[in-house]
Amino acid sequence: GEHQRRPVAAARELAEEGGYEAVQIRDVVARTGLSSATIYRHFSSKDHLIAAAQLEWNRTLPAARRKLPAGGTAADRVCELIHRTCVSFGHAPNLGKALMLALGSPDPGVRSCRAEADQLVIATIRDAIGDDLSDPDMLLLPLGLAWQGALFSWAHDRLTIKEVDELLQRTVRLLFAGVTAAAPVG
């Protein structure tokens, strides 16, 4: 309800403005007019709030997913999906980095948000692959881990978002080439 929506919106605004460090419960209290007790009833920590904000953001992905390119190979479509994701992170770097940092938290509230977020990402990649592969699951875990690792490196300022984009597209090409080569004949 309202007591969940408002703190999540406030956390997202704070993250957009100043990144991970800028999300403080006292500022969420100030922005929402809710008490910290009310906020803590629904969210176990600032990381949980940020992870909930990511989920909100991810839930808008199915709309973007419908506009996925239809042509080309499965690898082309997955590369385009990665490129679009990197562009959206590039447009909101403070928010994107805050989300990646919060997702590393052991907080149980974060864990449930992360599980749902992972499912959404995997469903989006699976849709982009379509019927081109007999066993897309073979690719999904290594690709998901590469994706997560590259974004984590970006969040810690070890890679630029452009490097993440290029690295992941190269990874997709290698994985797809490997899966195609390993495909049984006949």
Side-chain angles (χ1 to χ4, degrees):
E2 200 58 22
H3 289 158
Q4 278 159 291
R5 245 192 328 271
R6 276 168 43 213
V8 168
R12 181 175 171 161
E13 286 165 15
L14 288 161
E16 279 172 341
E17 289 161 23
Y20 182 78
E21 297 306 327
V23 183
Q24 300 295 334
I25 298 295
R26 65 175 176 274
D27 296 322
V28 174
V29 166
R31 285 196 185 206
T32 58
L34 299 168
S35 70
S36 57
T38 299
I39 292 166
Y40 279 119
R41 196 173 309 132
H42 299 286
F43 302 99
S44 43
S45 65
K46 100 176 197 172
D47 289 321
H48 186 189
L49 259 177
I50 296 170
Q54 186 197 17
L55 216 42
E56 282 298 299
W57 197 22
N58 276 9
R59 285 178 181 141
T60 66
L61 281 180
R65 188 196 322 181
R66 281 193 289 276
K67 296 195 264 309
L68 265 185
T73 63
D76 293 336
R77 293 190 299 275
V78 174
C79 282
E80 179 61 22
L81 178 65
I82 284 167
H83 178 66
R84 289 180 188 187
T85 303
C86 288
V87 167
S88 66
F89 272 111
H91 286 317
N94 284 341
L95 176 62
K97 289 179 179 185
L99 297 175
M100 292 312 299
L101 294 171
L103 286 177
S105 166
D107 184 301
V110 171
R111 202 171 302 130
S112 65
C113 288
R114 191 169 51 223
E116 188 179 335
D118 288 349
Q119 288 310 309
L120 272 166
V121 171
I122 284 173
T124 307
I125 298 171
R126 198 179 266 127
D127 282 359
I129 293 172
D131 301 324
D132 287 25
L133 294 179
S134 55
D135 185 14
D137 290 348
M138 195 172 153
L139 267 183
L140 289 169
L141 186 61
L143 179 55
L145 287 170
W147 190 313
Q148 236 174 15
L151 286 172
F152 188 77
S153 293
W154 168 70
H156 287 280
D157 298 317
R158 291 198 287 266
L159 291 174
T160 66
I161 200 68
K162 188 176 186 300
E163 288 168 331
V164 167
D165 193 4
E166 289 164 1
L167 186 70
L168 287 175
Q169 291 200 42
R170 195 162 72 240
T171 303
V172 165
R173 299 287 175 196
L174 288 165
L175 283 169
F176 273 84
V179 165
T180 312
V185 181

